[in-house]
Amino acid sequence: MLQGVTTEDDATVTLPVTVRDLLPQDLPACTWSGSATHLRHVERELARTASGEVDYLAVCTPVDLPVAIGGIDYQVSEEAGTLWQLAVLPALQSCGLGTLLVRAAEQRIRLRGLHRAELAVEEDNPRARALYERLGYVAYGRALDAWDEEGPDGAIRRHETMCVLLRKDL
């Protein structure tokens, strides 16, 4: 249940949400999660779901629009599911959707018979790190990460960043 969206007159709106697999036909509704380059990458990752290498989840509104998405890669570590590409519609951040998404991902990992979840968070993203730590994730290292990023001018640039590695026993 999505709760805590407050209007100008301090009314609270409560909305039921569901968690399901993200589907290729959902991608046009996920432009809030990143650039066209990012969405092409998500589309490539969705192709890996058929082989069971990854799960990709969507938290959806009653009209079935994704408002939070994220993946679990089972190929990074034999002993853990690795959460990645977690995103929440910016207007709905801090409403519990990220928590719901992470908990649903952890459940998928447990259903695979795995007992640990791992993820990486950029060092300059303290808000996300605070969420993961509140959910029980513990830092165990740092690693450089990089990916292609599309600028406002459409040019593709390589983004490099230092990430904190976190894990949680499930």
Side-chain angles (χ1 to χ4, degrees):
M1 192 70 77
L2 168 63
Q3 297 182 15
V5 177
T6 304
T7 63
E8 288 180 20
D9 59 357
D10 292 328
T12 299
V13 177
T14 302
L15 211 71
V17 293
T18 57
V19 180
R20 62 167 174 79
D21 290 329
L22 183 72
L23 303 171
Q25 57 264 34
D26 293 322
L27 294 180
C30 295
T31 56
W32 52 265
S33 71
S35 67
T37 299
H38 169 73
L39 289 175
R40 283 190 298 275
H41 185 259
V42 171
E43 185 174 31
R44 284 191 303 271
E45 294 301 329
L46 281 175
R48 295 175 58 209
T49 62
S51 66
E53 293 179 7
V54 303
D55 281 325
Y56 219 108
L57 305 177
V59 177
C60 297
T61 66
V63 294
D64 209 30
L65 287 174
V67 290
I69 61 174
I72 311 155
D73 195 322
Y74 301 104
Q75 301 299 301
V76 176
S77 170
E78 288 183 20
E79 300 171 359
T82 302
L83 283 63
W84 97 120
Q85 296 184 343
L86 302 172
V88 174
L89 180 70
L92 295 178
Q93 290 177 355
S94 297
C95 294
L97 296 172
T99 297
L100 179 63
L101 179 62
V102 170
R103 288 184 176 153
E106 292 169 352
Q107 179 62 25
R108 288 283 181 102
I109 293 167
R110 280 191 291 274
L111 288 172
R112 290 278 184 124
L114 299 172
H115 302 286
R116 190 172 71 235
E118 298 179 346
L119 57 86
V121 62
E122 291 181 80
E123 284 185 335
D124 65 356
N125 192 350
R127 185 175 180 187
R129 182 174 177 178
L131 166 66
Y132 303 137
E133 289 176 341
R134 193 177 75 249
L135 294 175
Y137 287 79
V138 177
Y140 69 92
R142 298 171 70 225
L144 187 62
D145 200 357
W147 56 84
D148 290 337
E149 195 170 70
E150 187 174 335
D153 60 356
I156 306 297
R157 295 174 185 84
R158 194 74 177 158
H159 176 79
E160 292 186 7
T161 186
M162 185 59 70
C163 291
V164 177
L165 305 176
L166 299 120
R167 67 176 144 213
K168 176 182 177 181
D169 291 329
L170 303 175

